[in-house]
Amino acid sequence: MTWTPESWRQKPAAQQPSWPDTTELERVEKELASVPPLVFAGEARELQSYLGRVAEGKAFLLQAGDCAESFDGFNAVAIREKLRVILQMAVILTYSSGVPAIKVGRIAGQFAKPRSRPTETIDGTELPSFLGHMVNDMPFSETDRRPAPERLLRAYNQSASTLNLLRAFTKGGFADLHRVQAWNQEFVSSSNEGRRYMNLASEITRALQFMEAAGISSSHPEIHEAEFFTSHEALILQYEEALTRLDSLTGEFYDCSAHMLWIGERTRQLDGAHVEFLRGVKNPVGCKIGPTVEPGEILQLCELLNPERIPGRLTFITRMGAQTLGQNLPPLLEAVKDADHPVVWTCDPMHGNTFTSESGHKTRHFDDVMAEVKAFFSAHRQVGTWPGGIHIELTGEDVTECLGGGEEVQPKDLGRRYETMCDPRLNGRQSLDLAFQVAELMGG
Ligand code: PEP
Ligand code: CO
């Protein structure tokens, strides 16, 4: 079947809102089709070539950010703090492993959520589930839960200003490696992870000073600026289609809503609309892989999403749960290796380890997260493939959403700062702790 930006409409699409007003939806789609692209095709190609290096075992992918971005509390500080912790993690990984960490945020577009149930019933009232701010709102009322197309425009606008700030931070001095010591936050610096980070940061500063003293200039753009890319789950296909543009240089279609898009665990049906849409755009694409996937299915995904076997085009994001991954992953790695498909393998140690605490909070334990990462590394060692990266839900702030970590978050702490819109995120300290442990696994 030939692909067009709208050919997904001929296929069943899972996890879609039932939009009550389709005339309004079409009006919004038209408007979105004429707005400026958020990213350029050339940038998506650049990310794909970096990911190609990951596929070859010469770089590591750090993909991280919110489970769901919010329209509320949208401000510069929250964006800066998230960027800061990602930059810190990347420095830790790069310094210890000796390979570059490719930084991709779950940011500037991560507004739509698949749910385990399409509706929610409270006291006999049934309403649509909350599907992320791109679709509806969280409070349990008919007005808030009604899918509103106008939200697609708001998501676009918020993505544009988020991206604008990210570009300013990464190119305008904030991300300069000479400032590596200043990235540590106050609440982090007093902790063990924070002190460990400061030691590493001062080593880097000394290395830069040594280079200057030895007459080797440290004023390369690589040192003054950071490369940072954006990504989100391509869930609401009207939005993704409307932001798809024909690249004049190559004559190919790119989804210009983000550099990288991924397919979620609940929407990866081989004959479904999401696989159909993403097989045709030329961005690098990801696909979540849960515990039930079979080797044959993986190979079909490879054929559909990357028939030309371009390294960096396809990333598999495994999310199986700490208990399951050790069993399930190796046969998949073998199958893809035997078929000679150049994929990036990355580990999402979050989504397979979620449970509800006694206090009723959806949470994850840091030890389970680490256990899944460790099992991921040993599966790759066993098969002889490259553990290409990690995919993490985090925030730079001092939230208490995940249990454990260096300065343990206890079950009784969960209520103190539980702010996520959807899934629980690692806080700044837990994120650094994770980065140090991953760096150790990488042999640093
Ligand atoms: C997510 O990444 O927030 C998510 C919903 O993941 P998955 O599709 O793996 O369940
Ligand atoms: Co999530």
Side-chain angles (χ1 to χ4, degrees):
M1 195 177 115
T2 49
W3 184 91
T4 66
E6 63 273 348
S7 56
W8 65 269
R9 292 175 187 261
Q10 308 307 316
K11 305 265 181 168
Q15 295 280 343
Q16 299 304 290
S18 27
W19 299 100
D21 186 346
T22 49
T23 318
E24 172 67 358
L25 178 63
E26 281 162 26
R27 187 194 66 75
V28 166
E29 284 177 62
K30 274 208 187 80
E31 188 171 340
L32 281 173
S34 67
V35 297
L38 292 171
V39 304
F40 295 117
E43 296 172 327
R45 279 195 289 276
E46 190 184 13
L47 173 58
Q48 182 161 291
S49 80
Y50 285 129
L51 292 173
R53 297 187 60 80
V54 178
E56 289 163 9
K58 294 182 181 141
F60 192 75
L61 168 62
L62 171 61
Q63 191 171 13
D66 272 314
C67 179
E69 288 173 271
S70 170
F71 287 174
D72 309 322
F74 168 53
N75 62 66
V77 173
I79 298 169
R80 188 192 65 206
E81 295 314 308
K82 224 162 289 156
L83 176 65
R84 193 203 294 261
V85 73
I86 295 173
L87 292 174
Q88 286 184 288
M89 291 173 82
V91 158
I92 293 168
L93 292 166
T94 303
Y95 194 73
S96 313
S97 71
V99 298
I102 312 307
K103 299 173 281 294
V104 180
R106 286 175 62 114
I107 200 166
Q110 176 55 20
F111 289 105
K113 298 312 298 173
R115 301 313 300 262
S116 42
R117 278 177 292 275
T119 62
E120 192 180 345
T121 303
I122 298 180
D123 296 334
T125 307
E126 188 180 12
L127 291 175
S129 294
F130 172 56
L131 299 177
H133 271 168
M134 186 184 269
V135 177
N136 59 5
D137 207 352
M138 206 146 44
F140 193 76
S141 80
E142 211 172 315
T143 334
D144 287 311
R145 289 292 173 89
R146 187 183 150 91
E150 189 67 29
R151 288 179 167 272
L152 299 175
L153 288 169
R154 185 144 172 219
Y156 165 81
N157 284 318
Q158 185 166 318
S159 299
S161 46
T162 302
L163 199 50
N164 182 48
L165 197 64
L166 287 170
R167 290 188 194 277
F169 278 138
T170 52
K171 306 292 174 198
F174 179 81
D176 191 323
L177 210 47
H178 291 94
R179 294 186 70 258
V180 64
Q181 291 175 310
W183 297 340
N184 221 8
Q185 276 211 79
E186 242 166 69
F187 85 92
V188 173
S189 56
S190 57
S191 67
N192 277 339
E193 300 77 54
R195 280 189 288 274
R196 202 169 164 191
Y197 175 80
M198 281 317 275
N199 290 339
L200 185 146
S202 45
E203 278 181 42
I204 293 174
T205 306
R206 275 210 307 278
L208 291 173
Q209 284 163 350
F210 169 77
M211 281 168 68
E212 302 280 359
I216 309 160
S217 168
S218 67
S219 63
H220 296 279
E222 289 81 357
I223 292 190
H224 291 300
E225 298 177 359
E227 297 258 39
F228 189 87
F229 299 93
T230 61
S231 69
H232 61 260
E233 177 174 350
L235 185 68
I236 306 299
L237 294 172
Q238 286 89 349
Y239 179 82
E240 305 303 336
E241 179 193 326
L243 284 166
T244 296
R245 303 282 184 273
L246 191 65
D247 173 37
S248 54
L249 211 62
T250 58
E252 317 224 71
F253 283 101
Y254 282 81
D255 181 347
C256 296
S257 71
H259 299 110
M260 177 181 183
L261 287 314
W262 78 84
I263 305 172
E265 165 68 1
R266 295 177 184 82
T267 50
R268 61 171 167 75
Q269 300 77 17
L270 295 168
D271 55 355
H274 294 82
V275 168
E276 173 61 19
F277 177 73
L278 284 184
R279 83 180 171 92
V281 294
K282 295 294 171 185
N283 309 56
V285 299
C287 185
K288 292 283 196 102
I289 295 297
T292 59
V293 75
E294 304 280 340
E297 235 178 317
I298 287 262
L299 294 179
Q300 281 178 285
L301 283 166
C302 289
E303 286 301 325
L304 282 166
L305 293 169
N306 192 14
E308 292 166 56
R309 301 181 185 228
I310 301 165
R313 154 73 178 168
L314 178 58
T315 296
F316 282 130
I317 308 161
T318 60
R319 35 86 83 219
M320 305 204 168
Q323 305 307 321
T324 321
L325 184 126
Q327 273 273 316
N328 289 21
L329 186 57
L332 304 175
L333 300 179
E334 296 277 8
V336 174
K337 185 175 149 189
D338 289 348
D340 221 12
H341 265 286
V343 309
V344 170
W345 289 103
T346 182
C347 174
D348 166 358
M350 316 295 292
H351 288 88
N353 297 307
T354 317
F355 64 94
T356 305
S357 72
E358 274 176 27
S359 55
H361 293 94
K362 206 194 219 192
T363 188
R364 293 158 174 158
H365 201 291
F366 186 81
D367 294 346
D368 296 332
V369 170
M370 270 324 301
E372 182 155 351
V373 176
K374 282 182 188 148
F376 176 81
F377 272 80
S378 53
H380 282 281
R381 294 248 149 82
Q382 190 186 321
V383 180
T385 41
W386 174 244
I390 48 172
H391 182 115
I392 305 291
E393 288 181 343
L394 57 70
T395 163
E397 286 162 86
D398 193 13
V399 299
T400 55
E401 298 171 4
C402 290
L403 297 167
E407 273 169 35
E408 279 212 35
V409 174
Q410 305 282 347
K412 65 173 169 39
D413 302 323
L414 287 177
R416 189 155 50 80
R417 259 194 89 176
Y418 192 93
E419 296 172 4
T420 183
M421 289 265 297
C422 193
D423 291 338
R425 305 159 297 175
L426 299 182
N427 65 29
R429 270 195 305 264
Q430 292 168 327
S431 302
L432 291 197
D433 196 351
L434 176 112
F436 277 116
Q437 295 201 38
V438 172
E440 279 166 18
L441 288 170
M442 292 176 78

